[in-house]
Amino acid sequence: MKRGRSIQGKLRRRIVLVGLASFFVATLLSNLVWVPMLRSRALKTAKNGNEEITSRIDSTLEFIDNYSENLALSVQQNAAIQRYFAEPTASNQNIAMLSLSNLTSYEGIVRAVFLEMNDRPLLDSLSRICEADYELLHSQWYQDIRDSEFCRRLSRVYTVSINHVDYPTVAYARNFYLNNRWCTFVIFTSLNDTLYDVRTVGENNYDYFLLRDSTGSVFYTAGDETWAERTAAVGPEAGLSGLMEITGGTALTRRSVSSGWTITSFVSNSNILRSLMPYSLGLLMSLACLLLMMLIVLSTSLGKMLRPVVSLARTMDGAAKGNLEQKVEICSDDEIGLLQQSYNKMLDDLRRSIDLIAEKERTEQQIRFGLLVSQIDPHFLFNTLNVIQQMAGTESAYRTQALIMALSHLLRYSLMSNDEQVPLSREVRIVDEYYSIYHVRFGDRVQMQWAFSDSLDLTETMVPSFILQPIVENAFKHGICPKEEGGVVRIRMIPLREKGLLCIRVLDNGVGIEPEQLQQLRTALEQPAPRWEHIGIYNVAARLRLLDARCRVVVRSRPGRGTAVILYLPLVENEEEFEE
């Protein structure tokens, strides 16, 4: 038979397969669970960027609002400006404009300041003023502010160029009631610093983004122009804060409540995947390391557990090849240890069985050889006995003739194979023939009685040939004959069908057996061996031992009271006849 793969190799392969399957399942589950979570996290980061940009814009505008209040307070307390509004002469105007210019100290954010009170001419800060600023002051937007009382408003965002420097500008106008007069302050705010911060935040979070002012006009864009058209398609009407799936990615919008400005940002799917890549790689590496550790620990543990099984398999393979001397070393007290103990016990039982079978074969061979030796020219013996029988009849010696006939029957029966099964009735007839010889010799000193169970059919019950006569012979020869007054041999047969045995009891009331001799006899019967003289009960015991493990010979005796020999044979009945 071709030897298959080892169980360790199979288990290792299965562990690897299960590990790979677990890895792929874990990866799939992580993609189904973690990737959406990480994507949501990436979009949340982008959303937080929108909030940060809006917050920075609101901070700039809040600063301008606070600046306007401080400027109004300074103007109210400035004598030169107040003198101009009281006496609007050209000289007072120049002094007032110079004072207003001195009050404009935040050059990084505040580019210019205009001031108008009732119907007095405009005052400006005399610095970085351009034509677009004057156009705004003559627009309807400014006129609406002048027509209102308490009012504050932002203009559209526009870009001016001063000394070859571009200034994205938003005008912040606010009315104040100073010294019983309505004053309008217009602060032209440069957005360069704010947009620089916005660009820094946006480039770290978006592929593309744009800013719209309160009129909905786009005044600033940054990023990959590939996504410009898709981002611009998401209008400012998307809401205060929103998220919209569009082709190639996700658009996010956020509108400032205070300024009305809107930021629309775009995050492409490829950018989201790139942001997820470190997390995904980390997750995959963690899963792979964890799985590798589990595989190593599991393989080591199973290898240690299976090592005794592999050793047992090798020992069993050696036993199959004929090596029955090598036992397994018992290394634990668990189920594997119990298996090793059972194997060692099985090995011992197997060796004993082989020895027993060999001994049985040797014994049977010796018995067959003895039978062959004993069958020396039976025809010569029978012919001789026939001549003597005829001579006895010629001389009218009828008792001698009967004895010779009985002896002839005994000899013919004894020459049959001891393994042959014969009807119990034939065994009974042979014992009667033997008893007739003893009765002629000893007369009424010897008697024999039979007792049969009513359920026992002698003609249909099969027993080994010549199994009963040697026991009866021992009873007459060693039990009854030495006793002067003689005695009786009783033979009783009982079927034990629930056990599948036939019990035959041979009892005599002869001289009995001394305890020492009885013990020697019992010891010899436990290990019967073929004997070449006085075979008697030893031969019967040896044959029963070979016949069936349940068969045995039991001897009981008391000196002066008699002896009982009990035979246990297999109960073999003719089934067809027995059923009828």
Side-chain angles (χ1 to χ4, degrees):
M1 178 179 177
K2 185 178 179 181
R3 185 172 181 177
R5 297 176 179 176
S6 66
I7 187 172
Q8 284 183 319
K10 291 181 179 179
L11 282 177
R12 287 196 180 98
R13 280 186 289 275
R14 291 184 182 180
I15 290 173
V16 171
L17 291 177
V18 170
L20 292 176
S22 302
F23 177 76
F24 287 120
V25 170
T27 303
L28 179 61
L29 291 178
S30 65
N31 289 331
L32 294 177
V33 177
W34 286 100
V35 169
M37 292 177 61
L38 294 175
R39 182 178 183 277
S40 176
R41 181 178 177 180
L43 293 178
K44 184 177 180 182
T45 301
K47 185 178 180 181
N48 292 338
N50 277 8
E51 294 178 356
E52 184 178 356
I53 290 175
T54 306
S55 176
R56 293 196 180 193
I57 293 174
D58 289 345
S59 297
T60 299
L61 299 179
E62 183 180 1
F63 167 78
I64 296 301
D65 184 64
N66 294 334
Y67 175 78
S68 67
E69 293 179 357
N70 293 331
L71 182 62
L73 183 60
S74 298
V75 168
Q76 187 179 12
Q77 297 174 356
N78 188 278
I81 297 176
Q82 293 300 321
R83 187 182 305 113
Y84 165 72
F85 285 121
E87 298 178 8
T89 63
S91 60
N92 288 340
Q93 183 182 16
N94 292 331
I95 296 172
M97 293 175 67
L98 181 61
S99 298
L100 183 61
S101 178
N102 292 332
L103 293 177
T104 308
S105 58
Y106 297 95
E107 295 183 358
I109 298 178
V110 179
R111 181 171 58 81
V113 175
F114 280 81
L115 173 61
E116 184 178 4
M117 182 177 293
N118 291 342
D119 54 353
R120 298 294 188 271
L122 290 171
L123 290 178
D124 62 61
S125 58
L126 301 176
S127 61
R128 292 182 289 183
I129 302 297
C130 63
E131 187 65 27
D133 299 332
Y134 287 108
E135 291 178 358
L136 183 65
L137 295 175
H138 292 88
S139 66
Q140 186 63 38
W141 169 81
Y142 182 73
Q143 189 60 41
D144 291 340
I145 295 174
R146 290 291 297 162
D147 292 341
S148 303
E149 292 183 352
F150 292 100
C151 177
R152 65 182 73 183
R153 188 173 300 174
L154 289 172
S155 70
R156 61 179 177 82
V157 179
Y158 60 96
T159 301
V160 298
S161 180
I162 302 175
N163 298 328
H164 305 290
V165 177
D166 292 335
Y167 291 91
T169 302
V170 61
Y172 177 76
R174 182 173 179 180
N175 293 332
F176 291 94
Y177 192 71
L178 303 177
N179 297 329
N180 297 321
R181 295 183 181 92
W182 282 103
C183 297
T184 301
F185 288 81
V186 181
I187 302 172
F188 293 93
T189 305
S190 172
L191 298 177
N192 279 341
D193 293 343
T194 302
L195 292 181
Y196 177 81
D197 296 337
V198 168
R199 185 182 187 91
T200 302
V201 175
E203 289 179 346
N204 293 331
N205 293 280
Y206 316 123
D207 291 279
Y208 184 83
F209 72 98
L210 58 84
L211 294 176
R212 288 186 173 93
D213 58 20
S214 57
T215 64
S217 301
V218 176
F219 67 89
Y220 184 77
T221 62
D224 187 356
E225 292 296 331
T226 306
W227 312 109
E229 182 178 355
R230 300 178 188 180
T231 307
V234 181
E237 64 278 0
L240 183 63
S241 178
L243 184 148
M244 182 182 300
E245 297 287 343
I246 61 177
T247 304
T250 304
L252 302 96
T253 61
R254 184 171 179 82
R255 179 182 299 174
S256 172
V257 177
S258 58
S259 66
W261 292 4
T262 304
I263 176 174
T264 303
S265 57
F266 179 82
V267 182
S268 65
N269 292 332
S270 59
N271 191 13
I272 294 176
L273 291 178
R274 283 195 301 271
S275 65
L276 296 181
M277 191 62 64
Y279 299 100
S280 299
L281 290 178
L283 179 62
L284 291 177
M285 291 296 294
S286 301
L287 288 174
C289 293
L290 179 61
L291 179 62
L292 182 61
M293 291 177 60
M294 291 178 61
L295 290 178
I296 292 174
V297 172
L298 188 60
S299 178
T300 304
S301 302
L302 287 177
K304 185 177 180 181
M305 292 174 59
L306 290 175
R307 195 173 295 118
V309 178
V310 174
S311 176
L312 177 60
R314 292 175 180 171
T315 305
M316 294 177 68
D317 186 55
K321 295 178 180 178
N323 184 10
L324 302 181
E325 300 299 327
Q326 183 180 0
K327 290 187 177 182
V328 180
E329 182 181 356
I330 300 175
C331 57
S332 62
D333 56 353
D334 53 9
E335 289 81 359
I336 295 179
L338 180 61
L339 181 63
Q340 292 171 332
Q341 292 178 4
S342 301
Y343 173 74
N344 288 341
K345 184 177 181 300
M346 182 190 70
L347 209 60
D348 293 336
D349 294 342
L350 181 60
R351 285 199 300 269
R352 284 194 295 268
S353 298
I354 292 175
D355 295 339
L356 184 61
I357 292 173
E359 179 185 356
K360 181 177 179 180
E361 290 178 352
R362 288 194 300 270
T363 303
E364 289 180 348
Q365 186 177 6
Q366 292 175 358
I367 292 175
R368 291 189 181 96
F369 181 76
L371 291 175
L372 291 174
V373 173
S374 63
Q375 295 175 358
I376 300 175
D377 201 1
H379 296 289
F380 170 75
L381 295 177
F382 292 142
N383 292 336
T384 303
L385 288 176
N386 286 333
V387 171
I388 298 174
Q389 180 183 0
Q390 292 174 3
M391 185 177 294
T394 303
E395 296 176 351
S396 300
Y398 299 111
R399 295 182 62 186
T400 302
Q401 187 179 20
L403 288 174
I404 292 174
M405 185 176 295
L407 177 60
S408 175
H409 291 165
L410 285 174
L411 289 175
R412 184 183 299 276
Y413 191 73
S414 65
L415 290 175
M416 293 175 61
S417 172
N418 288 355
D419 292 334
E420 184 179 349
Q421 296 284 328
V422 298
L424 182 58
S425 58
R426 188 176 300 178
E427 279 287 294
V428 172
R429 186 170 67 251
I430 290 301
V431 172
D432 284 336
E433 296 280 1
Y434 178 78
Y435 169 69
S436 64
I437 296 175
Y438 256 85
H439 192 266
V440 171
R441 169 65 178 82
F442 295 100
D444 293 335
R445 284 185 56 203
V446 295
Q447 297 181 15
M448 185 175 67
Q449 298 178 358
W450 294 91
F452 303 103
S453 172
D454 294 338
S455 63
L456 188 64
D457 190 342
L458 300 183
T459 60
E460 302 301 334
T461 303
M462 308 299 290
V463 296
S465 64
F466 222 71
I467 201 72
L468 183 57
Q469 187 275 336
I471 306 301
V472 176
E473 179 183 357
N474 281 344
F476 281 119
K477 183 176 180 180
H478 301 290
I480 302 300
C481 292
K483 191 175 181 180
E484 185 177 351
E485 64 274 20
V488 180
V489 175
R490 296 181 176 86
I491 305 172
R492 183 179 182 185
M493 300 184 182
I494 305 172
L496 305 176
R497 289 192 172 85
E498 66 279 2
K499 296 181 179 180
L501 296 174
L502 173 64
C503 177
I504 300 177
R505 300 174 181 267
V506 180
L507 301 91
D508 67 75
N509 57 354
V511 296
I513 305 173
E514 295 296 328
E516 294 79 5
Q517 296 178 350
L518 181 61
Q519 184 60 38
Q520 294 176 1
L521 177 62
R522 288 175 175 172
T523 302
L525 290 176
E526 291 179 358
Q527 296 292 333
R531 300 169 185 269
W532 303 112
E533 58 179 358
H534 309 295
I535 62 173
I537 194 171
Y538 298 109
N539 183 280
V540 173
R543 292 168 60 199
L544 290 181
R545 180 181 175 86
L546 295 173
L547 187 63
D548 195 314
R550 300 174 299 168
C551 299
R552 64 184 188 275
V553 179
V554 179
V555 181
R556 299 171 184 170
S557 181
R558 290 185 181 180
R561 298 188 60 181
T563 302
V565 178
I566 306 172
L567 305 180
Y568 290 95
L569 311 176
L571 181 59
V572 180
E573 297 177 302
N574 188 304
E575 295 182 359
E576 296 181 359
E577 296 294 335
F578 182 72
E579 291 176 359
E580 291 177 1

